[in-house]
Amino acid sequence: MLTELTQRHLPLISRAHEVLRSREHWSPYPEDPDAYGEKGPAEGEAAFRELLGRPFPLDQPGRDGTVGPAPEEGGEHSPYGFPLGISYPHSDPAALISAMRAAMPAWRSAGPDARAAVCAEILARLADRPHELAQAAMHTSGHNPVMAFHAGAVHALDRGLEAVAQAHAEQTRMPAALTWRKPLADGRIFALDKSFSAVPRGISLLVAGSVFPTWNGYPGLFASLATGNPVLVKPHPRAVLPLALTVRTAREVLHEAGFSPDLIALVPERPGEALAKRLAVHPEVAIVDYAGTTAFGGWLTVNATQAQVYTSVSAVNSVLVESTPSYRDMLDNLAFSLALYSGQLCTSPQNVLVPRGGIATDEGHKTFAEVLSDLGTALDRLLADDAGAAAVLGALYAPCVLERVERADSGRLGHVAHHTRTVLHPDFPDAVVRTPVLVQLDAARDRDRVTLAAEWPGPVVLVAAVDSARDGIALIARTVRRSGALSVGAYTASREVERALEDACAESGVMLSLNLTGDWYLSQSAVYSDLHGTGLNPAGNATYCDAAFVANRFRTVAVRRKAADGFM
Amino acid sequence: MLTELTQRHLPLISRAHEVLRSREHWSPYPEDPDAYGEKGPAEGEAAFRELLGRPFPLDQPGRDGTVGPAPEEGGEHSPYGFPLGISYPHSDPAALISAMRAAMPAWRSAGPDARAAVCAEILARLADRPHELAQAAMHTSGHNPVMAFHAGAVHALDRGLEAVAQAHAEQTRMPAALTWRKPLADGRIFALDKSFSAVPRGISLLVAGSVFPTWNGYPGLFASLATGNPVLVKPHPRAVLPLALTVRTAREVLHEAGFSPDLIALVPERPGEALAKRLAVHPEVAIVDYAGTTAFGGWLTVNATQAQVYTSVSAVNSVLVESTPSYRDMLDNLAFSLALYSGQLCTSPQNVLVPRGGIATDEGHKTFAEVLSDLGTALDRLLADDAGAAAVLGALYAPCVLERVERADSGRLGHVAHHTRTVLHPDFPDAVVRTPVLVQLDAARDRDRVTLAAEWPGPVVLVAAVDSARDGIALIARTVRRSGALSVGAYTASREVERALEDACAESGVMLSLNLTGDWYLSQSAVYSDLHGTGLNPAGNATYCDAAFVANRFRTVAVRRKAADGFM
């Protein structure tokens, strides 16, 4: 089966290599839900329903109990308003780690091609059932259905394949073997046979987040697995299911391909177990991938010094609105970015900076107050009816998000220019859905600066007056350096402002998106083309998916020997 | 000048890229000393003599005092028996760091090609005077003249160019710019102009060692500089001169090429200043390269968590002698490895493991005692006369090395099978030169196992009886995992033993050299072909020079904007 898998998937990996160099548009996983069969959506929903209210089927070594299904036992609750009722097996980490150590040599000696092929097969199996994965994403992270299908399923598969391809490229940079020949001064040739093998670092731990467990988790998971490291998958307690489906599929494929399924294992945690902290400092854990809070990311960096730690943490993303030749299109694009998934993406814009003297547009000069008001109107237009609004907003993934919205809406952060609205979901009456609140601030006021420097994940938008474009750019750079950012946006017709922004974003280390209108949004990241994160600011040290993200997950071990044709 | 430099050096960088993929033999810096002009040696020595007994000319910002020339002020003393009498300027690190921050933007925006060309020019200037660099290496680290010329000069330049080429390759993997086009379902094309720029992480600190400050220091120095990071060069107090010459040359070239010379600075330390510790945890220091002790490498890993830390520390290298069809050649090769630079290389073999039942050879069965005795005879043959011996051994680089040899020679580690001998250097009567002592141990004795697990840098060779080849392989793997190793050697005619060694070395993460005879030695590393270090065992986390060594020294910042031809 391994040969067949290699033949089937290596052309795909090669194509991914090309695209990763050219950065052109590409994906082997269609974005169109209909591409996966007419019955896909219904079958996916049925498969999801089938999982509810019962133990999740996963056979791992060292089982010592259960997580869930009750909330107080760690059970999940859909942001759309119902408990999933699923319980997961809990294993003794020592047993899993021991099984992983035993499984490593065969996986290591299989080599980069076989590992890439097995990983690609895992992704292919997941791609056979993207609607099930989407349902899982929707009912754990609260995605809207389209985003659940994209970011929760097919784009996550893209991020996984991207990591597999990068890992394969890095591991095959050197020849597997060569005869090294050095001409000597006396005319003889001096020869050594050399071979180079990729050797994994050890056990890899994925500490996944709650908002994009697959999209944010697959890069580390597949980069580690493809480079030969077994992976412990520690899901966020609110979003176990997407990774449980992933681990189950991966174990099946590994087993079928002749490897130990224990090269990957799910380690859900019981309430209060603090499993991530314990595992992250385990001497056998050589790699940690983490998506979550700045606080825990910092803790990992300082404490898990035995491991390579890759973090993706808090971000405060800003947009400068300086001038535009497409006022209406700008407002629509911006409103969609703010509303999408209720601003809960790590790339969602939060701070909208507008010069206090207003801006030049194709519709004439607009005052600060007009821009603010027109942005509210654009949001109203986008989110006019509940069904349409829910399809954009999704649901709030956790009670803390709702608390933040309500706090902002009460005027405690600043003047409320546009209130949030409770949306009644047509299918899920208990879903927690809110439109964004627009809070008006002034970046010249110290108190407001503090507010702008903090992360308010969720539908909280801070629209702040700045003295000038230059003032706004300086504030953006400061915010990136202090609070971290994944994305900076700007609307400007001025080449000078563009240049100043480019310099500021290069210096502070953040991606810049200029004058986006139409169907592409600040929060979007095109896999194989865009890099997610720079690693240069406090939003994290990992980039999906540059060479640095994979190159340190394995090392190369050489053998040199006297060559048969060499004079030694 | 920059354009001219780029035109001159980029073909060299491209050739290095090819070689780094093919791993074939190559070097732009000839190994033959005569290739650098007939007068080279005399001029190099004259230039070195000119430096002695006076302040080293180096003009850096923030000067606040002097290091040296007196030993109690941090002055250097040649292992060949005389004080160098050189003083170096001491600068306030804050002033240097401030100057470096100011110099960064221009160096960053110059881009990978220009940076690679400037770095290659620095190396070319150093290659114009390799004999001066060799003299500096000889009279700080105690190299023999040939090794000083090779490892101290031309091979160090190779390691530098290798790092520049790797850094250039990594920074140019993605297109500088492209138009990204995504076909939409309605037939329109959706387009974004994207650009990608390499952005350095921050200030890089090189904490260099005393035995190979250039060979071990250039990889980090040039990898950081080529990726845009200014470099603080903190030399070892016993080996300042080679890096002072390097920094002076680099500052000259940077200035001539239109950049701030402050992109690199020498920070020698006063006795007791603990400068490395202070600088390593400075918040502006984003990268630390360190070659030295395991203790300080560990300290850096735990404390300098704000930085990427690359370490190259202690190693205990083993050789298994199991069987050979070339007994005499094996003994000669092994004796040379043990004697070269008095076993002070980080790759020098220390533990020689021989089955207690003896070995099969082309000269018939040899008992353990015969192998031990014949190895002593081979050493005597190699080191028969003082002049020849001194040309291989060099001098002991520090009093602590002499103490170790004398301790071993007193029988305190075990039975002395072959005593050390004091060699009178023909030109330098005060040089401290000793031949290797062979200590006989038994790996089955607990006490001897402790001795075998420790590092004894210098001319101390532990020849230990093992129960069998399998027992020896297990001991090697244990030693690699516990104490770290850069190189494992073996002599065996058995394919089975080879395979077991290959597995053990892959598992424990160390390079294996099999059956070396003739003119290539266990301790040698061919730049552009061999990787130095694996990063998988306690000998360090850095590899000269894989992608992981350079890929994380910069990150990529993208700009996306609405394309002129795009439907947005």
Side-chain angles (χ1 to χ4, degrees):
Chain A
M1 178 184 175
L2 201 50
T3 312
E4 193 265 320
L5 284 185
T6 307
Q7 283 167 354
R8 194 191 319 161
H9 293 301
L10 278 198
L12 188 72
I13 301 294
S14 297
R15 177 68 186 127
H17 290 169
E18 289 170 17
V19 174
L20 286 168
R21 292 201 79 98
S22 72
R23 295 279 149 183
E24 69 200 284
H25 167 72
W26 181 70
S27 170
Y29 312 111
E31 281 184 323
D32 179 1
D34 296 340
Y36 299 85
E38 204 178 303
K39 292 187 189 159
E43 284 174 0
E45 194 170 340
F48 169 70
R49 295 279 155 200
E50 190 67 21
L51 294 164
L52 301 181
R54 62 182 63 182
F56 187 85
L58 191 66
D59 187 25
Q60 295 181 166
R63 176 157 184 175
D64 62 3
T66 297
V67 174
E72 65 275 16
E73 294 165 328
E76 299 151 290
H77 190 94
S78 169
Y80 286 91
F82 58 92
L84 301 196
I86 306 175
S87 64
Y88 299 93
H90 185 285
S91 293
D92 173 13
L96 293 175
I97 288 171
S98 166
M100 286 180 165
R101 295 281 344 165
M104 277 180 80
W107 188 234
R108 166 177 64 71
S109 46
D113 285 0
R115 287 195 295 269
V118 170
C119 288
E121 176 64 15
I122 296 169
L123 292 163
R125 294 278 178 96
L126 291 165
D128 283 344
R129 302 158 69 98
H131 292 284
E132 184 180 4
L133 215 46
Q135 287 284 324
M138 191 171 158
H139 291 294
T140 50
S141 305
H143 297 167
N144 69 51
V146 172
M147 174 172 280
F149 188 78
H150 287 162
V154 295
H155 295 169
L157 298 173
D158 280 321
R159 279 280 173 235
L161 189 71
E162 178 188 54
V164 172
Q166 284 282 36
H168 183 264
E170 287 303 311
Q171 293 174 95
T172 52
R173 285 161 73 97
M174 293 203 288
L178 81 153
T179 300
W180 178 81
R181 293 184 177 84
K182 180 178 180 177
L184 299 183
D186 62 9
R188 289 182 306 159
I189 301 283
F190 182 98
L192 285 175
D193 286 336
K194 299 186 179 186
S195 67
F196 297 99
S197 306
V199 171
R201 295 188 77 99
I203 289 172
S204 190
L205 171 67
L206 170 64
V207 181
S210 59
V211 289
F212 289 102
T214 54
W215 197 94
N216 260 317
Y218 283 4
L221 189 164
F222 283 98
S224 277
L225 198 59
T227 48
N229 306 277
V231 185
L232 285 167
V233 178
K234 210 296 284 171
H236 191 282
R238 272 198 301 271
V240 181
L241 185 57
L243 292 173
L245 290 167
T246 305
V247 169
R248 189 180 66 183
T249 304
R251 289 177 62 90
E252 280 167 12
V253 173
L254 283 160
H255 177 70
E256 288 171 28
F259 297 100
S260 166
D262 298 328
L263 289 164
I264 188 166
L266 190 75
V267 283
E269 67 185 338
R270 301 189 186 105
E273 193 181 1
L275 191 55
K277 276 198 174 184
R278 284 169 46 213
L279 291 175
V281 297
H282 192 290
E284 297 267 10
V285 168
I287 300 169
V288 179
D289 285 281
Y290 173 66
T293 65
T294 299
F296 192 61
W299 185 92
L300 285 170
T301 305
V302 171
N303 290 282
T305 52
Q306 90 293 350
Q308 292 287 323
V309 177
Y310 301 87
T311 62
S312 179
V313 294
S314 304
V316 176
N317 305 306
S318 304
V319 180
L320 176 70
V321 176
E322 191 268 341
S323 59
T324 175
S326 321
Y327 187 58
R328 176 58 99 99
D329 290 346
M330 174 190 86
L331 291 169
D332 285 346
N333 186 283
L334 197 48
F336 191 88
S337 282
L338 297 170
L340 183 65
Y341 185 34
S342 309
Q344 297 173 118
L345 289 100
C346 49
T347 52
S348 293
Q350 170 188 300
N351 298 346
V352 179
L353 310 181
V354 184
R356 72 179 74 256
I359 66 169
T361 80
D362 54 327
E363 300 181 15
H365 182 84
K366 299 287 177 183
T367 65
F368 176 85
E370 284 171 326
V371 174
L372 181 53
S373 159
D374 292 344
L375 186 58
T377 306
L379 279 168
D380 286 344
R381 202 159 52 228
L382 176 68
L383 307 170
D385 69 285
D386 277 3
V392 174
L393 296 167
L396 302 187
Y397 67 80
C400 62
V401 183
L402 181 60
E403 283 163 26
R404 273 193 293 267
V405 184
E406 289 178 343
R407 186 172 167 206
D409 205 58
S410 71
R412 286 172 63 196
L413 306 187
H415 170 69
V416 178
H418 195 87
H419 279 280
T420 184
R421 180 171 74 81
T422 300
V423 173
L424 182 66
H425 196 289
D427 304 324
F428 300 100
D430 294 330
V432 184
V433 187
R434 295 287 184 283
T435 65
V437 50
L438 298 187
V439 177
Q440 180 183 345
L441 299 176
D442 191 319
R445 278 206 300 260
D446 283 348
R447 206 204 95 174
D448 287 2
R449 285 196 174 215
V450 173
T451 305
L452 288 162
E455 192 193 27
W456 307 93
V460 176
V461 181
L462 310 177
V463 183
V466 292
D467 292 343
S468 62
R470 174 189 283 190
D471 180 43
I473 295 168
L475 176 59
I476 288 173
R478 254 194 330 272
T479 306
V480 173
R481 274 194 284 263
R482 187 177 308 167
S483 311
L486 287 164
S487 210
V488 162
Y491 291 91
T492 178
S494 155
R495 200 44 210 122
E496 192 189 336
V497 171
E498 275 197 13
R499 270 195 221 103
L501 278 160
E502 286 182 54
D503 282 347
C505 289
E507 286 296 307
S508 57
V510 64
M511 180 169 74
L512 172 65
S513 298
L514 288 164
N515 299 318
L516 297 184
T517 55
D519 299 328
W520 191 261
Y521 305 98
L522 184 59
S523 50
Q524 283 182 283
S525 177
V527 184
Y528 313 104
S529 181
D530 292 327
L531 293 165
H532 177 78
T534 63
L536 290 168
N537 69 58
N541 68 17
T543 301
Y544 310 152
C545 184
D546 62 4
F549 189 70
V550 298
N552 222 358
R553 293 175 193 257
F554 72 98
R555 307 315 283 265
T556 304
V557 172
V559 178
R560 312 187 291 194
R561 75 183 85 212
K562 188 180 166 172
D565 69 344
F567 297 89
M568 298 287 293
Chain B
M1 177 183 175
L2 199 51
T3 312
E4 193 265 318
L5 285 184
T6 308
Q7 283 168 355
R8 194 189 321 158
H9 293 301
L10 278 200
L12 187 73
I13 300 294
S14 296
R15 177 69 185 125
H17 290 170
E18 288 171 18
V19 174
L20 286 168
R21 291 201 79 97
S22 71
R23 295 279 149 183
E24 68 198 286
H25 166 73
W26 180 71
S27 170
Y29 311 111
E31 281 184 324
D32 179 1
D34 297 339
Y36 298 85
E38 204 179 303
K39 293 188 188 156
E43 284 173 1
E45 193 170 340
F48 170 69
R49 294 279 155 201
E50 189 69 20
L51 293 164
L52 300 181
R54 60 183 63 182
F56 187 85
L58 191 65
D59 186 26
Q60 294 182 168
R63 177 159 185 174
D64 62 3
T66 296
V67 174
E72 65 274 15
E73 294 166 327
E76 297 150 291
H77 190 94
S78 170
Y80 286 91
F82 58 92
L84 301 196
I86 306 175
S87 65
Y88 300 93
H90 185 284
S91 293
D92 173 11
L96 293 175
I97 288 171
S98 167
M100 287 181 165
R101 295 283 343 168
M104 276 180 81
W107 188 235
R108 168 178 61 73
S109 46
D113 286 0
R115 286 194 296 267
V118 170
C119 288
E121 176 65 14
I122 295 168
L123 292 163
R125 295 276 178 97
L126 291 165
D128 283 345
R129 301 158 70 98
H131 291 284
E132 184 180 5
L133 216 47
Q135 286 285 324
M138 192 173 158
H139 291 295
T140 50
S141 305
H143 297 167
N144 69 50
V146 172
M147 176 173 281
F149 188 78
H150 286 161
V154 295
H155 294 169
L157 298 173
D158 279 322
R159 278 280 174 234
L161 188 71
E162 179 188 54
V164 172
Q166 284 282 34
H168 183 264
E170 287 303 313
Q171 292 174 94
T172 53
R173 285 161 75 95
M174 293 203 286
L178 81 152
T179 299
W180 179 82
R181 293 185 178 83
K182 179 177 178 178
L184 300 183
D186 62 9
R188 290 182 306 160
I189 301 284
F190 181 98
L192 286 174
D193 286 336
K194 299 185 179 187
S195 67
F196 297 99
S197 306
V199 172
R201 295 187 78 100
I203 289 172
S204 190
L205 171 68
L206 170 64
V207 181
S210 58
V211 289
F212 290 101
T214 54
W215 197 95
N216 260 317
Y218 283 4
L221 190 164
F222 283 99
S224 277
L225 198 59
T227 48
N229 306 278
V231 185
L232 286 166
V233 178
K234 210 296 283 173
H236 190 283
R238 273 198 301 272
V240 182
L241 185 57
L243 292 174
L245 290 167
T246 305
V247 169
R248 189 179 66 181
T249 304
R251 290 177 63 89
E252 280 167 12
V253 173
L254 283 161
H255 177 69
E256 289 171 29
F259 297 100
S260 166
D262 298 328
L263 288 164
I264 188 166
L266 190 75
V267 283
E269 66 185 338
R270 301 189 185 106
E273 194 182 1
L275 191 55
K277 275 198 175 186
R278 283 169 47 212
L279 290 175
V281 296
H282 192 289
E284 298 267 10
V285 168
I287 300 169
V288 179
D289 285 281
Y290 173 67
T293 65
T294 298
F296 192 60
W299 185 92
L300 285 171
T301 306
V302 171
N303 289 281
T305 52
Q306 91 292 350
Q308 292 287 323
V309 177
Y310 300 88
T311 62
S312 179
V313 294
S314 304
V316 176
N317 305 307
S318 305
V319 180
L320 176 70
V321 176
E322 192 269 340
S323 60
T324 175
S326 321
Y327 186 58
R328 177 60 100 99
D329 290 345
M330 173 192 86
L331 291 170
D332 285 344
N333 186 283
L334 197 46
F336 190 88
S337 282
L338 297 171
L340 183 64
Y341 184 34
S342 309
Q344 297 174 117
L345 289 101
C346 50
T347 52
S348 293
Q350 170 188 299
N351 298 348
V352 179
L353 310 182
V354 185
R356 73 179 73 253
I359 67 169
T361 81
D362 53 328
E363 301 181 14
H365 182 84
K366 299 286 178 183
T367 64
F368 176 86
E370 284 170 327
V371 174
L372 181 54
S373 159
D374 292 343
L375 185 58
T377 306
L379 279 169
D380 286 343
R381 202 157 54 226
L382 176 69
L383 307 171
D385 70 285
D386 277 3
V392 173
L393 295 167
L396 302 188
Y397 67 80
C400 62
V401 183
L402 181 61
E403 282 164 27
R404 273 193 294 268
V405 184
E406 290 179 342
R407 186 172 168 207
D409 205 58
S410 73
R412 286 172 62 196
L413 305 187
H415 170 70
V416 178
H418 195 86
H419 279 281
T420 185
R421 179 171 76 81
T422 298
V423 172
L424 182 67
H425 196 289
D427 304 324
F428 300 100
D430 295 331
V432 184
V433 188
R434 294 288 183 284
T435 65
V437 50
L438 298 187
V439 177
Q440 179 182 348
L441 299 176
D442 191 319
R445 277 206 300 259
D446 282 348
R447 204 202 96 173
D448 288 2
R449 286 196 173 214
V450 173
T451 305
L452 288 163
E455 192 194 26
W456 306 93
V460 177
V461 181
L462 310 177
V463 184
V466 292
D467 292 342
S468 62
R470 175 190 282 190
D471 180 43
I473 295 169
L475 176 59
I476 288 174
R478 255 193 332 268
T479 306
V480 172
R481 273 195 285 262
R482 187 178 307 166
S483 311
L486 287 164
S487 211
V488 163
Y491 292 91
T492 178
S494 155
R495 202 40 214 125
E496 192 189 338
V497 171
E498 275 196 14
R499 269 195 221 104
L501 278 160
E502 287 181 53
D503 281 347
C505 289
E507 287 295 308
S508 58
V510 63
M511 180 168 76
L512 172 66
S513 297
L514 286 164
N515 299 318
L516 297 185
T517 54
D519 299 327
W520 191 260
Y521 305 98
L522 184 59
S523 50
Q524 284 181 282
S525 176
V527 185
Y528 314 105
S529 181
D530 291 328
L531 293 166
H532 177 78
T534 63
L536 289 169
N537 70 58
N541 68 18
T543 300
Y544 311 152
C545 184
D546 62 3
F549 189 69
V550 297
N552 222 358
R553 293 175 192 256
F554 71 97
R555 308 313 284 264
T556 304
V557 172
V559 179
R560 313 188 290 194
R561 73 184 86 211
K562 187 178 164 171
D565 69 343
F567 298 89
M568 297 287 293

